Amino acid sequence: MTAVVAESLTKRFGSVLAVDDLSFTLEPGTITGFLGPNGAGKTTTLRMLLGLAAPTSGRSLVLGKPYAELERAALSVGAVLEATDFHPGRSGRDHLRTLGRAVGLPDSRADDVLRAVELHEAGKRRVKGYSLGMRQRLGLAGALLGDPELLILDEPANGLDPEGVRWLRDFLRAFASQGRTVLVSSHVLAEVAQTVDQVLIITHGRLVVESSLPQLTSRVGGTVRVRTPNPDQLQAALRREHLDATCDHQTLLVRGADTDRVGEIAFAAGVPIHELLTEGSSLEDIFLELTSEPSS
Amino acid sequence: MIAQLKAELLKVRSTRTTLGLFAGMIGLTLLIVLLTGLLTHHDGLTSRHDQRGLFAPGAVALIFSGLAGLLLVTSEYRYGTIRPTFLFTPRRADVLSAKLTAGLLAGLVFGAVSVGLAVGIGSLILSARGIGSALSGGDFALIVFGGLAGIALLGAFGVGLGAILRNQVGAVIALLSWEFVVNSLLFGLAPSVGRFMPTPAADALMGLKTTHLLPPAAGGAVLLAWTAVLALAGLALTLRRDVT
């Protein structure tokens, strides 16, 4: 069964078309990045998927049903929409207990998920004393409470320090490796580029890209950075393959090819390589290029 | 539904908000009973009417119970916990009916304590001052059971009003101005209309006999109708509106 299906989802606020005829499907066991600049309609889409907002037209299915019709929804879907959805005067553990009670989970589940997000020591303290990173993790703990097979997170990396981002990345990888599905939104491609299998990019409420991450990179032609002791030899080999490369000391920047292709050309030419990678900034360029202008 | 009610009751117990309101209600009820009982002249406490006024805790408990119910809903919108709440229980009618029940139960506790304090301490003061009771068993029954019912209903009334307005500050201002401005003005200027307002109806239910008040049963029916209307309107809006 597909994990999520959106069929022509549309949401209009007055004269503003926040989400415009959005359709996509998510297969189980994948991590999907849901990307777009702020105000592109990501959160509105997630709200519609989760039954918090009614679409103007279109519909969505989560694990085969409209979210509101799922039996004990929290046992199959975990979601976090805002990092700050806590009563400041309630302890983290009590927050989780109140959620767990609603679906008949024992209090011990609250302790389990607190441990899973490394908050067990702070669990008894009131949330008002938590850092933003701790709040993000408490929100995640709430989503994990029902041991769901689908996780939907809106901007989970917002406000996390680099260590927190890495923790989140490892966590999502481990979650998906168990055959579970993740949909994670972000306005920064680089934040999720190392985590996701595929991306949905929306801008002005419309889907502009639905592809795997390598496809995205090759499609637009990213920049590959390659360091070699024989840059002239490699540059010549690349030229023979009609690839343009600029040279700076021992480093070549290659446009219009991915790392696989550049590596193979170097191998065929017998040029040793000391470093070979896709430039992070080029991915970000792709993203900006795709989202800065509405597709027509 | 039972699971959701357990969740709602834990929400009430796991912050200090309701506890603070409860403490405030006890303090004010004590203050009013003590001041009225100790400072009123002997002759002002002997009649049946005077003693009913002393024992019936009146507006204080009603307002605090209404506020407690109001905050059960509006604090969820204020702090955003309404999102996880609806994610865990997407059938919003289940959430609202659990909150209405939790509001009634909290109101019942508020009512039991405030009526108990007023009747208990009021009686002690009267006997200490050597004033004989002028109230019949029926009068006491109305004060106790009418008070409990009225204060409990105000808890659910607050839940309904909170579900309609959602904004916490706005809802608190609305409830207080309804109580202190609309109720009083209307009852003062046009009692034939004002007596159908919630607080005069709750006073009537406790057997208070201030001029123009409805008979107890009619007061109870009016208060029940107010609560039902607000609860149903709150439910209809909760089902219809998007959660942002």
Coordinates of all heavy atoms in Angstrom, one line a residue, chain A residues 74 77-80 86 95-96 99 113 117 137-146 148, chain B residues 88:
Chain A
A74 N -2.8 7.8 15.7 CA -1.5 8.0 16.2 C -0.7 6.7 16.3 O 0.5 6.7 16.5 CB -1.6 8.6 17.6
V77 N 0.5 6.8 12.3 CA 1.1 8.0 11.8 C 1.6 8.9 12.9 O 0.8 9.1 13.9 CB 0.0 8.8 11.0 CG1 0.7 10.0 10.3 CG2 -0.6 7.9 9.9
G78 N 2.8 9.3 12.9 CA 3.3 10.2 13.8 C 3.6 11.5 13.1 O 4.2 11.5 12.0
A79 N 3.3 12.7 13.7 CA 3.5 13.9 13.0 C 3.9 15.0 13.9 O 3.4 15.1 15.1 CB 2.3 14.3 12.2
V80 N 4.7 15.9 13.5 CA 5.1 17.2 14.2 C 4.9 18.3 13.2 O 5.6 18.4 12.2 CB 6.5 17.1 14.8 CG1 6.7 18.4 15.7 CG2 6.8 15.9 15.6
F86 N 3.7 22.9 23.0 CA 3.6 22.3 24.4 C 3.1 23.4 25.3 O 3.3 24.6 25.1 CB 5.0 21.9 24.9 CG 5.8 21.2 23.9 CD1 6.8 21.7 23.2 CD2 5.4 19.8 23.6 CE1 7.6 21.0 22.3 CE2 6.1 19.1 22.6 CZ 7.2 19.7 22.0
H95 N 3.3 15.8 29.1 CA 2.8 16.1 27.8 C 2.6 14.7 27.0 O 1.5 14.5 26.4 CB 3.8 16.9 27.0 CG 3.5 17.1 25.6 ND1 2.5 18.0 25.1 CD2 4.0 16.6 24.5 CE1 2.5 17.9 23.8 NE2 3.4 17.1 23.4
L96 N 3.6 13.9 27.1 CA 3.5 12.6 26.4 C 2.4 11.7 27.0 O 1.7 11.0 26.3 CB 4.9 11.9 26.4 CG 6.0 12.7 25.7 CD1 7.3 12.0 25.9 CD2 5.7 12.7 24.2
L99 N -1.0 12.7 25.7 CA -1.2 12.2 24.4 C -1.5 10.7 24.4 O -2.4 10.2 23.7 CB 0.0 12.5 23.5 CG 0.2 14.0 23.2 CD1 1.4 14.2 22.4 CD2 -1.0 14.6 22.5
V113 N 9.8 6.5 24.7 CA 10.2 7.5 23.6 C 11.1 8.6 24.2 O 11.9 9.2 23.4 CB 8.9 8.1 22.9 CG1 8.2 7.0 22.1 CG2 8.0 8.7 23.9
V117 N 14.7 9.7 22.4 CA 15.2 11.0 21.9 C 16.1 11.6 22.9 O 16.4 12.8 22.8 CB 14.0 11.9 21.6 CG1 13.1 11.4 20.6 CG2 13.2 12.3 22.9
R137 N 13.1 17.7 20.0 CA 13.1 16.2 20.3 C 11.9 15.8 21.0 O 11.4 14.6 20.8 CB 14.4 15.9 21.1 CG 15.6 15.8 20.1 CD 16.8 15.4 20.9 NE 17.4 16.5 21.6 CZ 18.1 16.4 22.8 NH1 18.3 15.2 23.3 NH2 18.5 17.5 23.4
L138 N 11.3 16.6 21.9 CA 10.1 16.2 22.6 C 8.9 16.1 21.6 O 8.1 15.2 21.7 CB 9.8 17.3 23.7 CG 8.5 17.0 24.5 CD1 8.6 15.7 25.2 CD2 8.2 18.1 25.5
G139 N 8.9 17.0 20.6 CA 7.9 16.9 19.6 C 8.0 15.6 18.9 O 7.0 14.9 18.6
L140 N 9.2 15.2 18.5 CA 9.5 14.0 17.9 C 9.1 12.8 18.7 O 8.5 11.8 18.2 CB 11.0 13.9 17.5 CG 11.5 12.8 16.5 CD1 10.7 13.0 15.2 CD2 13.0 12.9 16.3
A141 N 9.4 12.9 20.0 CA 9.0 11.8 20.9 C 7.5 11.6 20.9 O 7.0 10.5 20.9 CB 9.4 12.2 22.4
G142 N 6.7 12.7 20.8 CA 5.2 12.6 20.7 C 4.8 11.9 19.5 O 3.9 11.1 19.5
A143 N 5.5 12.2 18.4 CA 5.2 11.5 17.1 C 5.5 10.1 17.1 O 4.9 9.3 16.5 CB 5.9 12.2 16.0
L144 N 6.5 9.7 17.9 CA 6.9 8.3 18.0 C 6.1 7.5 19.0 O 6.2 6.2 19.0 CB 8.4 8.2 18.4 CG 9.4 8.8 17.4 CD1 10.8 8.8 17.9 CD2 9.3 8.0 16.1
L145 N 5.3 8.1 19.8 CA 4.7 7.5 20.9 C 3.9 6.3 20.5 O 3.9 5.2 21.1 CB 3.7 8.5 21.5 CG 3.3 8.3 23.0 CD1 4.5 8.3 23.9 CD2 2.4 9.5 23.4
G146 N 3.2 6.4 19.4 CA 2.3 5.3 18.9 C 3.1 4.3 18.0 O 2.4 3.4 17.4
P148 N 4.7 4.6 15.1 CA 4.0 4.7 13.8 C 4.8 4.1 12.6 O 6.1 3.9 12.8 CB 3.9 6.2 13.6 CG 5.1 6.7 14.3 CD 5.3 5.9 15.5
Chain B
F88 N -3.8 13.1 17.5 CA -4.0 11.8 18.2 C -5.4 11.4 18.2 O -5.8 10.3 18.2 CB -3.5 12.0 19.6 CG -2.0 11.6 19.8 CD1 -1.0 12.4 19.2 CD2 -1.7 10.4 20.4 CE1 0.3 12.0 19.3 CE2 -0.3 10.1 20.5 CZ 0.7 10.8 20.0

